[in-house]
Amino acid sequence: MRFRIRKFAHVLERSGLALAGAACGVFVGAHVGSSVPVLTSQGFLLAMMLSGAAGFYLGIDTPQLPFHPPDEDVPDTNKIDTAEFLSAVGTFLATLTAFFSVSIIILREDPHIVWTSLILLGWVIGVAMQIVAGAIARMRR
């Protein structure tokens, strides 16, 4: 019975992360869509929401490699955990772009198109890093 409750709590937590990712995607999509007329569509907003939900669901809660202190005899102990690194950088990048998007919307700023493009690029790269991190972590189980 305890296993079922823990499993349910884990799925609930991951669902909450997916909802947070979808919300971040809405903010980035709203900002970018309001600045780039071609991207003002429900399909674009839906794509931003789904990419955020997938990235945050798969990439934030990745299982880590077992920690071993550095040992000169074993060459693999100094390796970087690729999934953990991609997850951390991707999550930071995606949430940073969402933060900038919300700030721009709330403060009613009109940034140059270069900044809007960088926000969109940062979002896409960050979410892609999260999805790749989740895939890597689940393949090694």
Side-chain angles (χ1 to χ4, degrees):
M1 186 65 179
R2 284 176 76 181
F3 177 74
R4 287 184 190 166
I5 293 172
R6 287 183 65 202
K7 189 78 168 168
F8 175 74
H10 189 72
V11 168
L12 196 63
E13 175 188 33
R14 302 279 299 274
S15 297
L17 291 171
L19 290 170
C24 288
V26 167
F27 290 125
V28 174
H31 163 63
V32 173
S34 67
S35 299
V36 182
V38 175
L39 300 177
T40 305
S41 70
Q42 292 176 346
F44 177 70
L45 275 178
L46 185 62
M48 296 296 281
M49 285 176 59
L50 292 176
S51 65
F56 279 55
Y57 184 86
L58 293 172
I60 289 182
D61 187 27
T62 58
Q64 298 176 348
L65 286 175
F67 178 74
H68 299 290
D71 187 5
E72 293 179 18
D73 298 336
V74 183
D76 286 345
T77 57
N78 292 328
K79 282 179 48 176
I80 294 172
D81 183 358
T82 306
E84 186 176 6
F85 179 76
L86 287 172
S87 175
V89 174
T91 300
F92 177 77
L93 199 54
T95 54
L96 182 67
T97 59
F99 175 78
F100 285 145
S101 294
V102 169
S103 299
I104 290 167
I105 292 167
I106 297 297
L107 298 174
R108 296 184 178 163
E109 293 294 324
D110 188 21
H112 193 273
I113 193 67
V114 172
W115 292 110
T116 300
S117 300
L118 285 174
I119 287 172
L120 179 60
L121 183 66
W123 172 260
V124 170
I125 291 171
V127 169
M129 290 173 82
Q130 289 178 315
I131 292 170
V132 169
I136 290 171
R138 280 151 188 80
M139 285 185 348
R140 69 179 179 208
R141 278 189 188 182

